[in-house]
Amino acid sequence: MATHQPLPSQSAPVVQRGIVRWLRENLFSSWLNSIVTLVVGYYLLTTLVPLIDWAFFSAVFTGAGVEACNPNSACWIFIQERFGFFMYGFYPEALRWRPTLAFVLFALAVVPPFLPLPSRVGRWAGIFGITGLPVAGYILISGGLFGLESVNTSQWGGLMLTLILAYVGIIAALPIGVALALGRRSEMPIIRGICVVFIEFWRAVPLITILFMASVMLPLFLPDGVSFDKLLRALVGITLFQAAYMAEVVRGGLQAIPRGQYEAAEALGLGYWRRMRLIILPQALKIVVPGIANTVISLFKDTTLVLIIGLFDLLGAVKSTLSDPAWNNVMAEGYLFVAFCFWVFCFGMSRYSHRIEKQLDTDHRQ
Amino acid sequence: MADDGATLEADVIGAPVASAASDENIIQVTDLNKWFGEFHVLNAVNLNVQKGERIVVCGPSGSGKSTLIRCLNHLEAHQRGEIVIDGVELNEDVKKIEAIRCEVGMVFQQFNLFPHLSVLENCLLAPIWVRKTPRSEAIDMAMHYLERVRIPEQADKYPGQLSGGQQQRVAIARALCMQPKIMLFDEPTSALDPEMIKEVLDVMIELAGSGMTMICVTHEMGFAKTVADRVIFMDGGQIVEAAPPRQFFTNPEQPRTREFLEQILQH
Amino acid sequence: MADDGATLEADVIGAPVASAASDENIIQVTDLNKWFGEFHVLNAVNLNVQKGERIVVCGPSGSGKSTLIRCLNHLEAHQRGEIVIDGVELNEDVKKIEAIRCEVGMVFQQFNLFPHLSVLENCLLAPIWVRKTPRSEAIDMAMHYLERVRIPEQADKYPGQLSGGQQQRVAIARALCMQPKIMLFDEPTSALDPEMIKEVLDVMIELAGSGMTMICVTHEMGFAKTVADRVIFMDGGQIVEAAPPRQFFTNPEQPRTREFLEQILQH
Amino acid sequence: MSSDQGPLRPGNPKPWNDPRVRSLVFQIIAMAAVAWVGYTLFQNTITNMESRGIKTGFGFLNETAGFGIIMSLIEYNETMTYSRTFLVGLTNTLLVSGLGILFATIVGFIVGIARLSTNWLVAKLALAYIEIFRNVPLLLQIFFWYFAVLGNLPGPRQATEVAGVAFLSNRGIIIPKPVFESGAGWMGMTLVIALIVSTTLVIWARRRQAATGRIFPAFPVSLALILGLPTLVYFLTGQPIGWDIPTFGTFRFTGGITAIPELGALLVALTIYTATFIAEIVRSGITSVSSGQTEAALALGLPPRRVLRLVVVPQALRVIIPPLTSQYLNLTKNSSLAVAIGYPDLVNVFMGTSLNQTGQAVEIVAMTMAVYLTISLSISLLMNIYNRAVALEER
Amino acid sequence: ATLEEVRDAGEMRCGVSNGLPGFSQPDSSGNWSGIDVDTCRAVAAAVLGDADAVEFIPLTAAERFTALQSGEIDMLSRNTTWTTTRDASLGLNFTGTNYYDGQGFLIKTALGVDSAYDLDGAAVCTQAGTTTELNLADFFRANDMEYDAIVFDTSEASAQGFDNNRCDVLTSDTSQLAALKTQLSDPESAEILPEIISKEPLGPVVRQGDDEWFNVVKWVLFGQINAEEYGITADNVDEMMDSDNPSVQRILGESSNMGEILGLDDDFMVEVITQVGNYGEMFERNVGPDTPLGLNRGNNELWTEGGILYAPPFR
Ligand SMILES: Nc1ncnc2c1ncn2[C@@H]1O[C@H](COP(=O)(O)OP(=O)(O)OP(=O)(O)O)[C@@H](O)[C@H]1O
Ligand SMILES: Nc1ncnc2c1ncn2[C@@H]1O[C@H](COP(=O)(O)OP(=O)(O)OP(=O)(O)O)[C@@H](O)[C@H]1O
Ligand SMILES: [Mg+2]
Ligand SMILES: [Mg+2]
């Protein structure tokens, strides 16, 4: 037998190449698939095309008032005209630069992980985001200090309020959640019991019952004369609710840390709190970034429930204008606008968490 | 590895290795071509296997060994050429594919036992649902094969409770329970620790001795020497050389084969 | 393994193995008893270790070796008996436990480095937070010990980027940074590949040469022969035999010990 | 521990350094703090309620409610008591949660499987559906379905007719209601008989397969029996079931069964929202079954249908069920958003109207929360039992 | 006590409806207006001397009593009907009536129904937690008619439901119906039926057990009614100070210690009338014939003019 000469490899048959192959494999791989493709495609076309036309091509974007709109296409003028209200609620127009500035600071704290900056910058931005920003933001938005005119919380509203609720809820819930998680894993039965009862209680009841309690019943539980701001009370409710969920996420992270880590830290002579702070929590929190992101996203969506207790968050603001007799039939536009805002934020957050996850990955496994 | 071969040969003295293969071709592969996208994995492969023949396939990683045997029971579809198994030509016809899969048992590198079923139930699944064997009969058969792979006592355990070698032996028993005419092995020992390799190879050698048609992708050259009727060397999606083991190991025709053997026998 | 011992001995010729132990008992274990639930893991263990003494503990799996040395720095609490370390009696008193842990370094089978900290930071952690050493001083010391375990160049890497042997050497350096009077090793090499075992043993032999009090659970008999002042054999939670290595390996008194040695020296 | 262990602990540390003493003290302090907080809250509440003259106690449950509720599964009219409104609210909550769970599971499984479809269009469509609907607040979706979609259905006079017996309008869906006449009992009896026969059939089929290996299509046959036998009897006994066909009066349809649009909107929103999460759970459950499992099963000659049922699904279910139940819990809790569109669920009827009429916020809110707590705890309990039952045996 | 707390806070918290034209409604920059809102502002003017020192807290009908009971608000001015149960068992006190109302029905003209007695089988939109809901049940039961109660949590939502044709009839206090009618997409498509099925005296509410505060809120409203009776208006209040009419002098605190005994400044009514106006002005401004609601005084006319508005004298 002669020496084996490798045959030249041939190019694949047509069905195995390029767009034809893609179509065949992805859309028409069997007769059943082909029928499904055609049917689904048909319905997609017949619904999407008019929808896109309604929302964009024949929609009215500019004009003066309701007269410029036509009933068969979207009327985005409505959003434009009420934009300020949707963003800031009743916040005095002249002072709206203050929340805007706070948002800019927020963006500065949040954006670095997306940019090609050294990770140190991202870390400092993150630290600012959870320490300096709440203070600066509060001073800016609420006023009353440094000669800034004070704006009552009842005037806060719109997207601004939504963001404040979510942001404060997260920042305040995380430490409480960590404490609860540690408590739930404690060896002291009473501490553990208290934490379990607390967590399970908050997780079992619907948020609106909690908001109802916080907004109208809380003063009943407090000594006579003690009362605090309605927004603050809603925040307390949201925070405790969120903390219970956070605690369960963090507990998952704590459980994932191998025993050896605890023992090695113990053998080095580190006490309980140092062990937790220096060794266990940094690792556990890193593991649970995706879990935290998920609870944050659901909290962000849940903030809309404050509408039921009479706060004008984004949804509340938009909804309250829908009954304006001057604007008929803008319901779809209004709801779509809200949906779009929420979608952008939620989707953004899930991407953001992926980014953070990568950045925190210092394990550098080989 | 060369040493291993020696030990193995010693082990099988008891089992007469039947090398009398009948003339009938149970597998006929003609001009088999397969592409993954633009990548030509199998290039004009021709292979005839007679009933009772034992074939070992070797070759460097990525040469298409797994793909070849996976084509034989249509876990991969081929794009050109003809595969005829036991007289039935393999094409996209689902009924034929199922019929052929009943005749062809396969053992994977990663065992792929069903973790939610006990060892016995793993073995009963196919006979009951495919062959429609009565349960009691199927149990008898399963226990028979579990005895043959030497773990009847593990029948009621779950795969997760067994060692790797035991799991692979269950996988072999599971395939045998369908009483296939052909057995395909895709590197059955390469996920195992050294001690366990031996216990699995022993079972395979015994099986080879019983006259089963076998195609086995493996790098266990000792095993090849002991039981193979033919060793096939693949490279770049082609069959480079096919020869009886004695000739293959001592006097390979192709330089490519020699090169490969040097590498593999070194360590 | 017996071979290994030989190689090791050859290696350490340079390092003079000081076997002059002072008379002072740095560890006194009297009638130590421990139960896990109903299971009696340590049964009336008595052990005195002098300053500078090097002890190797061996015995079959489950005999309580790990438990014994984990009791010495109170990773496990004992239920009866007395442990006195460096003159301090170990009981539930948290202050005492912390003080003793500062004097007793420990190296685990699974390294247990902190993956979120760099090698250097792993070494700095305890000196800074427990001993309250100034950072610059702690860095100097850490680099000193990293040099001693021969990986100063890895100081800024993360544990995940190192091989097992390197990681174990970092773990040793990390323990040394606390400048303990006693070092405990719990099978420091058994999670390592053969090549890496040697690099870790070398470091330990050097450490032994420097006069550190060491208790080491290991099955590396070569190591035991080379550096141990005493070899202790445990079985069933009791100390069966304790003797200098020469006598222990060549002429063990107890039949149980002989049996064990036969087993372990076989492979 | 047995008594032969002698003194439990060696040595005697100073009490303030003894971790047991420390932990005991710490726990006592924690307990005291919690008790104190609880007591203060309780005391404050009592004082506040007393000083403001608010009625307390559960006596109100026996008072007449006096308001109407649009939808009730149990008999209700405005002369009944608040305890009845509680039950009405509770059953309505259970109804919408139950239906929501059913539909969300169906949609979620379909979408989750579609997400894995080899058909690119179908897979991408499923992905788009998931990404869109799970990132938009549920409350908004409820409003959208209720006001923007169902609100635009024709009025009852212009109702869309289905075969002249069912009607769809913005007052909901009205379908005929069966009226049982004498002789209907026979049908009931045959139904029971058919059920018994089917069960026997399934058992027999299993036995026969074990004995002879032959597979009998017990499921379709049973289905045919259960549906077919009563139908047969229906005609034999002279059609003893009359149909109360809805007819239009001055304002509305009378007769028939009405599904109100509030229920519809809430159900659609809950289903669509929760299904996105379920779909992701199903997808990850199925992908968690390695392809090796499928290949091994195929290589044994099992047809794809059986591979799914015997190999993939049982393994995927272990992964799917725990997160699935927590979605069920979420759905149940989310059903309380009913209050925003006026579906008479527990929160709306009891924590809303009843609370407002009686003013007894503390009692009513406590009862409402207790209901949700009970639901959630019972589900967790079931889950734990399930998890223990299916845990994989490991080495 | 509430009075001191309000003084200390420098601001009064007043619970109002979250959107009912003419009674309480915010404009797009958050300024509240309406007769209920003015009632709050009048109390703030009396207590703090500044009608703007009010924080308006929008409440749904279902939340309002709990909010007041708990102390979340200092007074409730949210078209709330005065009933025995509410007065007695909720721990609340009604301080008077700032609007005499009655429950009526708003119906689509197209249905061709012109009497409430022809509503058998109708779907009726109403608001959760109101007396309306109870009256409705009584009315239909008393007349042996059936109905579907479509209950929303805000009046706005119930109007929207009516507008969307979710129900045939919208029931509420007639004043509210007038207000809600203006919000319909086609206000002309609906009309109010003639039947009034209940008495609905609407007024401010305070917590029980704080008589001082109770008196303050009560007498501010009485003061406004008296002021109208004696012709004191925001425009002429300065001139009226010089009036010889002893009643006027007492109202304006010129010759009496009415303020002092209430715990207020003696000229508290001057502040109220300059900043908010008398009852008539308040009515005309918010719900009167010249407003979109276009309501006539009707029962809310002074007793001297044939109405039932009758305030006890300042003396
Ligand atoms: N599903 C697939 N899609 C694309 N390429 C594939 C696929 N499966 C295998 N290949 C490629 O085909 C080539 C042959 O693969 P095959 O698994 O048959 O090699 P092999 O000879 O079995 O190698 P090994 O010894 O590593 O198992 C490899 O280059 C591999 O990367
Ligand atoms: N935390 C624990 N709870 C209960 N039993 C334990 C625990 N730790 C160890 N044991 C049991 O105590 C016995 C002694 O364990 P130990 O780890 O000390 O043995 P060893 O001699 O170190 O064995 P090996 O060589 O396998 O490490 C074993 O039977 C083990 O199962
Ligand atoms: Mg392969
Ligand atoms: Mg051990």
Side-chain angles (χ1 to χ4, degrees), chain A residues 6-12, chain B residues 33 35 38-43 236 238:
Chain A
L7 292 171
S9 46
Q10 301 165 12
S11 61
Chain B
N33 279 276
W35 288 262
E38 273 302 295
F39 177 59
H40 204 166
V41 220
L42 293 179
N43 194 340
Q238 298 168 29

Side-chain angles (χ1 to χ4, degrees), chain A residues 43-182:
Chain A
Y43 279 105
L44 262 186
L45 279 183
T46 49
T47 50
L48 273 190
V49 169
L51 195 67
I52 291 173
D53 182 55
W54 175 85
F56 299 106
F57 296 116
S58 56
V60 184
F61 288 93
T62 52
V66 69
E67 293 74 28
C69 292
N70 101 49
N72 293 324
S73 57
C75 178
W76 299 116
I77 308 173
F78 167 67
I79 306 291
Q80 254 175 32
E81 210 157 85
R82 297 301 176 87
F83 194 73
F85 182 65
F86 294 166
M87 292 297 111
Y88 302 98
F90 299 128
Y91 205 89
E93 232 161 295
L95 303 177
R96 283 181 184 169
W97 62 270
R98 279 162 36 185
T100 314
L101 182 59
F103 285 143
V104 172
L105 287 178
F106 175 68
L108 284 182
V110 162
V111 155
F114 282 106
L115 302 177
L117 291 171
S119 70
R120 213 159 26 89
V121 178
R123 196 154 50 228
W124 280 110
I127 291 173
F128 169 71
I130 55 176
T131 54
L133 184 60
V135 179
Y138 178 74
I139 292 174
L140 272 174
I141 295 175
S142 166
L145 280 174
F146 307 117
L148 293 173
E149 191 184 324
S150 146
V151 180
N152 197 294
T153 53
S154 61
Q155 287 175 284
W156 301 11
L159 182 62
M160 177 182 101
L161 183 65
T162 299
L163 289 176
I164 291 174
L165 286 169
Y167 178 70
V168 176
I170 295 150
I171 298 283
L174 191 57
I176 304 177
V178 169
L180 285 171
L182 289 179

Side-chain angles (χ1 to χ4, degrees), chain D residues 67-84:
Chain D
F67 57 88
I69 299 175
I70 182 175
M71 187 192 125
S72 164
L73 294 180
I74 54 179
E75 196 182 329
Y76 176 80
N77 64 49
E78 49 276 3
T79 57
M80 290 179 169
T81 59
Y82 285 112
S83 55
R84 197 72 178 176

Side-chain angles (χ1 to χ4, degrees), chain D residues 48 51-55 65-70 78-79 146-147 151-158 170-172 250-252 260-262 339-343 348 351-353 355-361, chain E residues 61-66 69-71 85-86 88-92 107 111 113 118-123 128-130 133-134 137 141 146-153 160 164-168 207-209:
Chain D
N48 285 339
S51 75
R52 289 164 199 176
I54 303 169
K55 222 168 56 167
F67 57 88
I69 299 175
I70 182 175
E78 49 276 3
T79 57
Y146 188 60
F147 289 117
N152 283 333
L153 287 176
R157 279 150 209 272
Q158 296 83 35
N170 61 7
R171 303 293 164 83
T250 346
F251 295 103
R252 60 165 181 186
I260 56 172
E262 287 78 17
V339 72
I341 55 167
Y343 171 79
N348 190 4
M351 219 179 94
T353 306
L355 187 156
N356 196 252
Q357 303 294 7
T358 62
Q360 297 197 275
Chain E
E63 290 170 346
R64 56 187 162 174
F65 299 126
T66 318
Q69 285 171 338
S70 69
T85 327
R86 289 174 175 179
S89 75
L90 301 193
L92 306 177
I107 191 162
L111 288 174
V113 173
D118 296 337
L119 288 177
D120 192 11
T130 56
E133 215 181 337
L134 304 177
R141 189 149 43 92
E146 284 187 6
Y147 73 107
D148 288 335
I150 318 293
V151 184
F152 293 92
D153 62 340
Q160 207 170 21
N164 277 352
N165 206 12
R166 172 66 186 97
C167 47
D168 309 296
R207 271 183 300 281
Q208 199 166 300

Side-chain angles (χ1 to χ4, degrees), chain B residues 4-13 15 17 148-150 165 169 172 185 188-189 192 194-210 214 220 223 226-227:
Chain B
D4 260 355
T7 354
L8 285 175
E9 265 167 335
D11 272 355
V12 240
I13 283 176
V17 175
R148 237 175 110 181
V149 300
R150 300 170 203 159
R169 284 184 281 156
I172 295 174
F185 295 85
T189 56
L192 297 177
E195 320 97 80
M196 296 173 182
I197 291 183
K198 191 171 164 299
E199 66 191 42
V200 172
L201 286 182
D202 284 353
V203 167
M204 287 172 61
I205 290 169
E206 198 208 294
L207 194 64
S210 73
M214 283 165 73
E220 298 293 332
F223 174 76
T226 317
V227 305

Side-chain angles (χ1 to χ4, degrees), chain C residues 65-67 109 186-187 217:
Chain C
K65 310 179 294 295
S66 300
T67 310
Q109 176 177 351
D186 191 1
E187 311 204 23
V217 176

Side-chain angles (χ1 to χ4, degrees), chain B residues 143-154:
Chain B
M143 288 312 295
H144 168 74
Y145 285 112
L146 284 174
E147 261 158 46
R148 237 175 110 181
V149 300
R150 300 170 203 159
I151 35 174
E153 72 285 359
Q154 312 285 10

Side-chain angles (χ1 to χ4, degrees), chain A residues 331-348:
Chain A
M331 199 148 31
E333 288 88 335
Y335 287 142
L336 269 180
F337 173 71
V338 182
F340 176 74
C341 292
F342 272 97
W343 188 85
V344 166
F345 275 96
C346 293
F347 193 73

